[in-house]
Amino acid sequence: MTYSQNHFQDLIAHCKEYGYIFQSSELYDGLSAVYDYGQLGAQLKKNLRDEWWKSMTQLHENIVGIDAAIFMHPTVWKASGHVDNFSDPMIDNKDSKKRYRVDHLIENFADELKANGQDQKAEDLLAAMDALLAKDDFAGLKKLIEENAIKCSISKTCNWTDVRQFNLMFKTEFGAIATDNPDDNIVYLRPETAQGIFVNFLNVQKTGRMKIPFGIAQTGKAFRNEIVARQFIFRMREFEQMEMQYFIRPGSQMQWYEYWKAERKKWHESIGIPGGMLRYHDHVKLAHYADAAVDIEFEFPFGWKELEGIHSRTDFDLSQHAKYSKKKIQYFDNDIDPTTNKAYGNYTPFVVETSVGLDRLFLTIISLSYAEEKWTKEDGTEDSRVVMRIPPKLAPTKLAILPLVKKDGLPELARELMEDCKSSFMCFYEEKDAIGKRYRRMDAIGTPFCVTIDHQTKEDGTVTIRYRDDMRQVRIAMSAVKNIVMDKIG
Ligand code: GAP
């Protein structure tokens, strides 16, 4: 698929116009990199979340789901390494005072080079950046920026500060108890949902009598004080993650890492993302907890970017929580190890994690779905429409029920159909405006099926079903509508 030049900007405007996504606190001129999902966006987001939840929990007998609190004991973040390590190298432009994440600044410049046909130069630059990031060579990164004359997008100058680390966690105060040390009351807004799973490992393993290998899944909000938060809902300060921690025997991590890497790509394809628009990108610089990591990237309208991360997290997190909580966090494995002929015994499980951003998945689906179409009709005149080709099983509204006119008993028949269908899937009833206009509105919000009730319905009980994707119209029995839609969204 090739995107049109203005695809992304048009999509953003469309999302606002039709109630998918609004800027947060727009009434007060908005809050940067925070967004609200409108009536259709909230439903599409829920459908995506449900699809992930079902695939993880219902379709895997050994994966269970939890819902941990956002607030956690502050020591969790000390143990996890986030207090000391969850930071990005930043650089400030001295003239505009704008702060950039170093990798984003260089990547954007590489994108500009590519857009100007200098692909090899861009690749060399990115390779040099990766090597410097892997060594935490901040002086080298600054030199790379200066040598390539990378400019600030606001001041257009190369007047840069040194590269420094900047922690991305939001802090707030907990409770109302005044203490001598203000740090006593600090809690963090979780920057990842994963820690809620790690600290509940023993609870879930024991109460669920889980046997390794097993997984714990969770969806929920995460917060990061991103410095360069942009590209709409791609990089937000408040976002939602869908994470699964898979607890395994030490030593089996590469096998499970490869397994989940393949499984997750297959899952994305199963919800309608073309395989050709997904690729793997191995991490060069590993996070403090990982011994292997890969991104599943999607080709967004602004280039290839991370959609999901698969990380082999070793026993880092469970060991750290054992150390900081002074509690034993281990698993007794009574299966027989064929190499020793003895039970595997006690160990700290290793973890392979899958972590996808729900908002990024949302952006992926709407980027793929949005289309502006033009064609010549049989009579030679031009026609056009904007359509959201959202896969039917994900679409916020599945069926529009449209009486042709507001009289002659047609609304009553339409209401009958509405009553029959609405407990099975999302329906939308509308009787205002010409039918063509109503179809176009349903195309624009991505409703895959419309049914029109007309005078013939009264005579023979048939209706017209219109398919969004090819605009085909077929006469069918009204009594067949529900099953046809159920079949297509199943
Ligand atoms: N627990 C591991 C973890 O959090 P990550 O690669 O930092 O790993 C996982 O984040 C996923 O969360 C990313 O692949 C992305 O989809 C999503 N994500 C991360 N930061 C985000 C942000 N600022 N806005 C939206 N989504 C984000």
Side-chain angles (χ1 to χ4, degrees):
M1 170 178 168
T2 44
Y3 296 111
S4 69
Q5 209 192 345
N6 295 324
H7 189 90
F8 193 43
Q9 291 316 320
D10 293 342
L11 172 65
I12 295 172
H14 188 81
C15 280
K16 177 166 181 208
E17 190 180 343
Y18 286 93
Y20 270 93
I21 298 173
F22 308 120
Q23 175 78 59
S24 160
S25 321
E26 195 190 64
L27 210 53
Y28 295 93
D29 297 333
L31 186 64
S32 155
V34 187
Y35 290 90
D36 297 340
Y37 286 82
Q39 61 279 20
L40 293 173
Q43 186 62 47
L44 172 55
K45 199 174 167 197
K46 178 180 181 306
N47 294 350
L48 284 166
R49 191 192 296 112
D50 289 351
E51 200 57 32
W52 181 89
W53 184 263
K54 181 178 171 188
S55 80
M56 282 294 175
T57 61
Q58 196 174 325
L59 300 183
H60 289 96
E61 288 170 32
N62 64 345
I63 301 181
V64 291
I66 64 163
D67 182 14
I70 288 173
F71 288 136
M72 301 182 76
H73 193 286
T75 311
V76 167
W77 304 109
K78 190 79 195 145
S80 69
H82 284 81
V83 171
D84 296 326
N85 296 314
F86 194 56
S87 47
D88 280 326
M90 304 285 176
I91 195 163
D92 292 24
N93 183 271
K94 290 184 195 164
D95 299 319
S96 68
K97 311 280 181 252
K98 187 163 167 60
R99 181 168 290 167
Y100 293 86
R101 247 179 78 168
V102 166
D103 55 338
H104 292 167
L105 183 69
I106 297 175
E107 276 167 10
N108 276 356
F109 183 69
D111 286 345
E112 280 171 33
L113 290 175
K114 282 185 192 159
N116 293 328
Q118 295 176 274
D119 287 32
Q120 191 52 51
K121 194 170 170 201
E123 291 305 329
D124 293 347
L125 175 68
L126 292 174
M129 176 187 80
D130 285 346
L132 293 165
L133 281 173
K135 289 187 286 178
D136 279 337
D137 182 349
F138 295 164
L141 285 164
K142 183 178 181 191
K143 199 161 153 236
L144 188 69
I145 290 168
E146 287 172 341
E147 278 171 359
N148 283 276
I150 301 178
K151 295 192 177 71
C152 163
S153 61
I154 296 176
S155 67
K156 312 284 180 217
T157 68
C158 299
N159 194 8
W160 297 108
T161 61
D162 286 341
V163 174
R164 283 181 298 232
Q165 294 279 42
F166 184 88
N167 195 291
L168 301 183
M169 281 198 294
F170 283 102
K171 284 181 198 166
T172 188
E173 280 173 43
F174 200 70
I177 309 151
T179 64
D180 294 340
N181 181 2
D183 283 355
D184 288 350
N185 288 344
I186 285 179
V187 287
Y188 298 95
L189 297 189
R190 66 181 178 198
E192 62 169 11
T193 57
Q195 296 305 322
I197 292 178
F198 291 123
V199 299
N200 277 298
F201 166 76
L202 283 181
N203 287 337
V204 175
Q205 192 274 316
K206 293 203 165 116
T207 57
R209 300 192 301 136
M210 309 299 291
K211 267 183 75 92
I212 272 179
F214 74 90
I216 305 180
Q218 166 165 235
T219 72
K221 290 274 180 145
F223 305 83
R224 295 182 189 178
N225 200 0
E226 299 282 3
I227 296 306
V228 188
R230 64 212 153 133
Q231 285 158 332
F232 194 33
I233 55 169
F234 179 79
R235 195 176 308 285
M236 301 154 88
R237 297 203 164 98
E238 173 180 340
F239 56 100
E240 194 164 334
Q241 289 187 315
M242 305 193 290
E243 299 201 296
M244 193 277 298
Q245 317 298 132
Y246 204 65
F247 298 94
I248 54 176
R249 279 186 194 128
S252 66
Q253 66 267 34
M254 278 310 124
Q255 172 206 330
W256 287 113
Y257 174 71
E258 292 303 330
Y259 172 84
W260 283 109
K261 204 173 137 176
E263 274 298 294
R264 294 302 303 148
K265 185 159 177 286
K266 263 195 264 165
W267 182 80
H268 288 294
E269 292 174 26
S270 79
I271 62 163
I273 306 174
M277 295 183 81
L278 294 166
R279 71 176 187 194
Y280 295 117
H281 174 80
D282 289 313
H283 283 210
V284 181
K285 181 168 166 30
L286 294 172
H288 58 272
Y289 49 73
D291 71 354
V294 65
D295 293 339
I296 298 178
E297 292 188 337
F298 171 71
E299 191 175 11
F300 286 97
F302 40 84
W304 287 96
K305 300 275 177 205
E306 174 184 353
L307 167 62
E308 170 153 8
I310 321 289
H311 311 123
S312 170
R313 287 181 83 130
T314 66
D315 59 354
F316 176 84
D317 300 87
L318 292 183
S319 300
Q320 285 291 100
H321 288 306
K323 182 171 145 199
Y324 278 77
S325 66
K326 301 192 177 57
K327 309 244 164 65
K328 191 173 159 198
I329 307 182
Q330 287 209 321
Y331 173 81
F332 182 76
D333 191 337
N334 51 17
D335 279 1
I336 301 296
D337 177 351
T339 55
T340 62
N341 247 349
K342 288 188 188 139
Y344 284 96
N346 263 320
Y347 56 77
T348 307
F350 272 43
V351 171
V352 170
E353 160 187 79
T354 72
S355 175
V356 59
L358 177 51
D359 311 270
R360 275 192 201 176
L361 188 59
F362 187 110
L363 183 57
T364 299
I365 295 297
I366 57 172
S367 298
L368 284 169
S369 302
Y370 180 82
E372 293 174 11
E373 297 176 348
K374 287 194 174 71
W375 66 95
T376 308
K377 291 196 292 191
E378 274 173 15
D379 64 4
T381 56
E382 299 294 311
D383 209 346
S384 67
R385 67 170 180 166
V386 171
V387 57
M388 292 282 267
R389 294 173 170 275
I390 302 172
K393 75 171 164 183
L394 299 174
T397 306
K398 313 296 187 199
L399 175 69
I401 299 175
L402 316 170
L404 188 65
V405 288
K406 260 196 275 183
K407 53 182 184 181
D408 304 335
L410 303 190
E412 288 75 6
L413 279 173
R415 284 280 172 207
E416 261 176 44
L417 183 61
M418 185 83 184
E419 285 309 309
D420 185 31
C421 294
K422 76 180 186 192
S423 61
S424 302
F425 44 79
M426 277 290 194
C427 302
F428 179 78
Y429 177 89
E430 196 177 40
E431 50 186 34
K432 255 195 10 226
D433 291 331
I435 195 71
K437 212 167 169 187
R438 281 184 267 168
Y439 284 157
R440 284 292 187 276
R441 244 188 336 254
M442 289 302 115
D443 288 344
I445 66 171
T447 306
F449 313 104
C450 291
V451 157
T452 303
I453 284 89
D454 58 18
H455 293 93
Q456 194 182 328
T457 314
K458 280 177 37 177
E459 286 158 24
D460 63 6
T462 62
V463 294
T464 302
I465 185 162
R466 176 191 182 266
Y467 295 94
R468 175 198 67 198
D469 291 347
D470 54 10
M471 295 186 276
R472 207 161 31 99
Q473 298 189 20
V474 184
R475 200 85 205 170
I476 56 165
M478 188 160 109
S479 56
V481 170
K482 184 168 155 184
N483 282 346
I484 290 180
V485 176
M486 293 285 279
D487 183 48
K488 302 272 181 204
I489 64 177

